[in-house]
Amino acid sequence: MRVDVLTLFPEMFEGVFASSILGKARDKGIVSLSTVNFRDYSTNKHNTVDDYPYGGGGGMVLKPEPIFGAVEDLPTHQTAEGVAIKPRVILLCPQGETFTQKKAEELAGEEHLVFICGHYEGYDERIRQYLVTDELSVGDYVLTGGEIPAMVIIDSVVRLLPGVLGNEMSAVTDSFSTGLLEYPHYTRPAKFRDWEVPEMLLSGHHANVKKWRNKESLIRTLERRPDLLEGRVLSKEEKLWLAEWKKQKQEQNI
């Protein structure tokens, strides 16, 4: 996969792209990570990339010329057969679709991703209309720019690529990947300050451990994110687990 980031602050990505999972993925040649300062594509002598909005109003708006110029100047990514691949051009903005694990899995299937990190009041609308393929937001809050959201999305996507994680099952069982929150984890020692690891996990019975984890995942989701269960078709066994859990809660409140 090739990932290009258009930003006015490429230095923000230096440590992120060189560290941890992203750094290892790049070193292995699984992903190519590059930044482009779109100020270099300004078309005026002052190298400005923003201007006042037509019609008045507060703030400045990013001009279309530098953004279009930077994207169109990116090297063409090709398949092994030499066929040019059209990139997914992603605009980071509060108006965009909320980023989810499902979206991460979708983007992980792409060959070339381009992220546009904005600043100021917003973008010239022609960037949205004629250049980008996706608009994404990482939540209902406002940041000073698109750099941090881009880092979040890139990290989420790259870790799903084959060969990136040491254990391929890690991504499969992550929270949200199954539609549920992940089950509790424990490690050595088996007893710490009188707090013991659940006996089931020490049994060595893989089928029972899997069943325990599925149950705990379902219950944790009900406790913390019940909205994730809306519309979910529960199996007979899952319904029984939830009924048992609710009964236990009622008895504890008596």
Side-chain angles (χ1 to χ4, degrees), residues 163-251:
V164 171
L165 297 180
N167 181 352
E168 295 300 328
M169 287 302 296
S170 294
V172 176
T173 59
D174 280 339
S175 291
F176 306 112
S177 292
T178 61
L180 302 174
L181 299 184
E182 198 171 7
Y183 50 78
H185 290 280
Y186 295 88
T187 187
R188 295 174 178 79
K191 184 176 182 179
F192 172 68
R193 295 185 180 178
D194 294 328
W195 302 315
E196 298 182 356
V197 172
E199 187 175 345
M200 178 61 69
L201 298 179
L202 307 177
S203 68
H205 195 297
H206 297 300
N208 287 345
V209 169
K210 181 179 180 180
K211 183 177 180 180
W212 180 90
R213 286 174 169 171
N214 290 341
K215 179 180 179 181
E216 292 298 317
S217 181
L218 182 66
I219 292 173
R220 175 159 287 190
T221 303
L222 178 63
E223 291 179 316
R224 303 184 181 190
R225 289 291 304 277
D227 58 293
L228 295 177
L229 296 179
E230 295 176 5
R232 182 184 178 89
V233 179
L234 299 177
S235 67
K236 184 176 179 180
E237 187 174 44
E238 288 176 329
K239 291 178 181 178
L240 180 61
W241 290 341
L242 293 184
E244 292 175 349
W245 176 80
K246 290 178 181 178
K247 182 179 179 181
Q248 291 175 358
K249 296 292 287 186
Q250 291 174 349
E251 292 175 349

Side-chain angles (χ1 to χ4, degrees), residues 13-245:
F13 292 85
E14 293 175 2
V16 175
F17 283 175
S19 305
S20 189
I21 295 298
L22 290 181
K24 292 178 181 179
R26 185 167 64 174
D27 291 342
K28 290 180 180 179
I30 298 174
V31 64
S32 168
L33 301 167
S34 302
T35 57
V36 176
N37 190 334
F38 59 85
R39 190 179 297 280
D40 295 338
Y41 292 84
S42 173
T43 57
N44 60 72
K45 63 180 181 181
H46 301 295
N47 291 326
T48 56
V49 295
D50 60 315
D51 210 333
Y52 295 102
Y54 281 120
M60 304 290 280
V61 176
L62 282 173
K63 295 164 62 65
E65 304 99 311
I67 303 293
F68 273 82
V71 171
E72 292 169 353
D73 195 41
L74 290 173
T76 302
H77 190 55
Q78 299 181 336
T79 64
E81 294 76 24
V83 179
I85 297 173
K86 187 176 181 180
R88 290 280 285 270
V89 182
I90 300 166
L91 194 71
L92 286 313
C93 68
Q95 301 176 29
E97 169 191 350
T98 301
F99 183 66
T100 63
Q101 184 67 21
K102 183 177 180 180
K103 192 69 175 182
E105 293 167 358
E106 176 190 331
L107 295 177
E110 296 291 332
E111 295 283 346
H112 189 188
L113 301 177
V114 178
F115 292 87
I116 302 175
C117 304
H119 275 264
Y120 313 114
E121 183 65 22
Y123 304 92
D124 184 289
E125 189 65 17
R126 288 164 289 188
I127 297 172
R128 301 179 191 273
Q129 291 180 306
Y130 304 112
L131 184 62
V132 307
T133 59
D134 303 81
E135 295 183 45
L136 293 179
S137 166
V138 294
D140 295 337
Y141 49 88
V142 179
L143 299 171
T144 56
E147 282 75 16
I148 293 176
M151 294 175 193
V152 169
I153 295 173
I154 293 168
D155 182 274
S156 181
V157 170
V158 170
R159 68 189 303 279
L160 296 176
L161 300 179
V164 171
L165 297 180
N167 181 352
E168 295 300 328
M169 287 302 296
S170 294
V172 176
T173 59
D174 280 339
S175 291
F176 306 112
S177 292
T178 61
L180 302 174
L181 299 184
E182 198 171 7
Y183 50 78
H185 290 280
Y186 295 88
T187 187
R188 295 174 178 79
K191 184 176 182 179
F192 172 68
R193 295 185 180 178
D194 294 328
W195 302 315
E196 298 182 356
V197 172
E199 187 175 345
M200 178 61 69
L201 298 179
L202 307 177
S203 68
H205 195 297
H206 297 300
N208 287 345
V209 169
K210 181 179 180 180
K211 183 177 180 180
W212 180 90
R213 286 174 169 171
N214 290 341
K215 179 180 179 181
E216 292 298 317
S217 181
L218 182 66
I219 292 173
R220 175 159 287 190
T221 303
L222 178 63
E223 291 179 316
R224 303 184 181 190
R225 289 291 304 277
D227 58 293
L228 295 177
L229 296 179
E230 295 176 5
R232 182 184 178 89
V233 179
L234 299 177
S235 67
K236 184 176 179 180
E237 187 174 44
E238 288 176 329
K239 291 178 181 178
L240 180 61
W241 290 341
L242 293 184
E244 292 175 349
W245 176 80

